Amino acid sequence: MRLLLTLCLGLCIIALQVVLGAKAFFPDAFADKTDVVDALMEQKKSVLDQIPPAELAWITDHPVVIVGVDPNFYPLEMFDERGRYTGLGGDYLRLLGKLTGLDFRVRRLTDWASTEAQAQQRLIDVFMAAAKTGRRSEYMLFTTPYINMPGIIMTRRGSGLDKVGIDDLKGKKVAVVNNYSWHDFLKEFHPEIIAVPVANTLEALQRVVTGEADAVIDYEFNLLEKIQTGGIMQIQPAGKVDSSYGHAIAVRKDWPELFSVISTALSRITPAEQKILARKWLQQERPAGQERHLQWIFFFVVESIMLCLILNWLWQNELKKQVALRTRELEARLAAAKRA
């Protein structure tokens, strides 16, 4: 009976380990599948019956719109492990597709500078998450921003630049992503600062770590995500940048009809809904989620080893008890036989 109970206990523990293992190696299967975008899309109706005939005719003639994106601009734009365009900009793109009926096709390039270059050549029609600058306004029209993100200054630990403002960076080398709004910001308003343009945010951080740049300026969420996922420990926040760029949807300047259609569609997304969409990305902790995945794996392996040791101990202990019991029974029988 005890042996049977031991086996039942072992099976229960094994079942628990299977669940823990599934959570460790297949976290998506246990993730919350609720998507605020899906819920909003069910509520939204097309705006095509509310736009002028001239714009309807334009949509008929231009059913496909090419979207240029930044391939790694957390939390606004990035691609997931399956190559799908995601982020806050991706959510707005899905909503725009439902509201306008247009076929938005994402064009993935290697970096933001390449994306801007194609937009200037009219090979890209729309940006989903771009800050309005003087240079970009020469060839793009900008909607009202749907999110504002703070910019921060980060420096290398031990560099002596522990707390600085933008004015303290005069004559310093500051890494910025090539053609990002902060690059334009330095060129337009702070030419006394030496801008060091790089391909992406991770490279900007690495330039600071190696001493090739004194500081980096970028958006706070994007920097923190790169620091955590890249395991960069030598960087510290040093200050904030007063100028905060709002991110909006930008449309090529020679397509005012498309700009009007997209603006009409955006007006159907209320401020409360914009906050819900932003909260989905700004409150989630992507790096922490990856750490939890590793924690599940760690605990699964440790508990599996402990399970094997415990089951072996229980089995050996039960066998010893059974052997002792059988031995006592045999000795009792032998003693009874001798007395007889």
Side-chain angles (χ1 to χ4, degrees):
M1 183 64 180
R2 290 182 178 178
L3 186 58
L4 180 60
L5 290 175
T6 301
L7 290 174
C8 290
L9 176 61
L11 290 174
C12 290
I13 297 176
I14 290 173
L16 176 62
Q17 291 302 112
V18 169
V19 173
L20 292 175
K23 285 187 174 182
F25 294 102
F26 307 101
D28 290 343
F30 294 83
D32 184 4
K33 301 299 182 181
T34 303
D35 191 339
V36 295
V37 182
D38 290 336
L40 286 177
M41 288 179 68
E42 291 179 1
Q43 302 170 14
K44 299 299 179 183
K45 297 181 180 179
S46 173
V47 298
L48 295 183
D49 58 346
Q50 303 170 22
I51 63 176
E55 293 176 6
L56 278 174
W58 188 93
I59 289 177
T60 302
D61 294 336
H62 305 80
V64 177
V65 176
I66 305 301
V67 180
V69 302
D70 188 328
N72 196 11
F73 181 27
Y74 183 86
L76 298 188
E77 297 187 298
M78 56 272 189
F79 290 86
D80 64 15
E81 65 280 358
R82 298 180 183 177
R84 297 173 300 187
Y85 176 57
T86 185
L88 183 58
D91 287 348
Y92 272 89
L93 185 62
R94 290 171 58 193
L95 286 169
L96 286 182
K98 171 68 179 295
L99 290 165
T100 66
L102 287 165
D103 181 7
F104 291 100
R105 299 183 183 179
V106 174
R107 177 170 294 175
R108 181 176 184 175
L109 300 177
T110 56
D111 52 47
W112 176 249
S114 301
T115 299
E116 277 206 359
Q118 288 208 4
Q120 290 172 319
Q121 299 169 24
R122 305 304 188 197
L123 300 176
I124 283 175
D125 309 318
V126 168
F127 295 152
M128 285 308 301
K132 183 178 181 179
T133 66
R135 179 180 57 82
R136 292 174 184 167
S137 296
E138 295 176 0
Y139 61 95
M140 302 294 277
L141 299 170
F142 288 81
T143 66
T144 302
Y146 57 80
I147 188 171
N148 288 282
M149 297 199 306
I152 59 173
I153 302 168
M154 286 194 162
T155 58
R156 186 176 65 259
R157 296 182 188 277
S159 65
L161 299 173
D162 298 329
K163 289 189 177 182
V164 296
I166 194 71
D167 295 332
D168 300 315
L169 297 176
K170 181 178 180 180
K172 302 291 185 182
K173 294 181 179 180
V174 176
V176 287
V177 177
N178 190 26
N179 283 356
Y180 262 23
S181 52
W182 296 117
H183 190 191
D184 288 351
F185 173 73
L186 293 184
K187 289 193 295 185
E188 292 178 21
F189 304 110
H190 293 279
E192 73 279 5
I193 296 174
I194 304 171
V196 181
V198 296
N200 53 59
T201 304
L202 183 59
E203 183 182 345
L205 288 166
Q206 291 169 341
R207 291 289 184 96
V208 176
V209 170
T210 59
E212 297 175 74
D214 300 300
V216 55
I217 296 179
D218 206 327
Y219 297 99
E220 181 176 9
F221 290 101
N222 193 32
L223 279 171
L224 294 178
E225 189 265 346
K226 299 300 183 298
I227 288 172
Q228 293 183 34
T229 57
I232 300 174
M233 306 299 294
Q234 305 95 321
I235 295 291
Q236 64 182 0
K240 295 184 178 181
V241 184
D242 292 336
S243 179
S244 178
Y245 284 106
H247 282 76
I249 297 173
V251 180
R252 51 189 286 183
K253 208 166 188 176
D254 61 335
W255 280 7
E257 298 89 351
L258 178 60
F259 178 77
S260 178
V261 171
I262 288 179
S263 296
T264 300
L266 280 179
S267 69
R268 299 299 183 270
I269 303 174
T270 68
E273 291 169 342
Q274 289 183 0
K275 289 181 180 179
I276 292 173
L277 290 169
R279 193 181 305 123
K280 169 187 172 182
W281 293 99
L282 300 184
Q283 289 188 351
Q284 70 169 256
E285 298 179 0
R286 174 175 158 183
Q290 294 175 341
E291 290 172 3
R292 283 194 293 271
H293 183 192
L294 295 176
Q295 288 172 0
W296 276 117
I297 295 176
F298 173 76
F299 286 121
F300 173 67
V301 172
V302 171
E303 290 178 7
S304 296
I305 295 173
M306 292 179 62
L307 171 63
C308 292
L309 294 174
I310 291 172
L311 287 178
N312 181 66
W313 178 81
L314 289 173
W315 181 263
Q316 295 295 333
N317 190 52
E318 188 62 28
L319 284 178
K320 289 179 181 178
K321 290 180 179 179
Q322 292 295 328
V323 170
L325 178 61
R326 296 292 186 272
T327 301
R328 287 196 298 270
E329 290 177 351
L330 181 59
E331 290 175 347
R333 289 176 183 174
L334 291 174
K338 288 181 180 180
R339 287 195 298 269

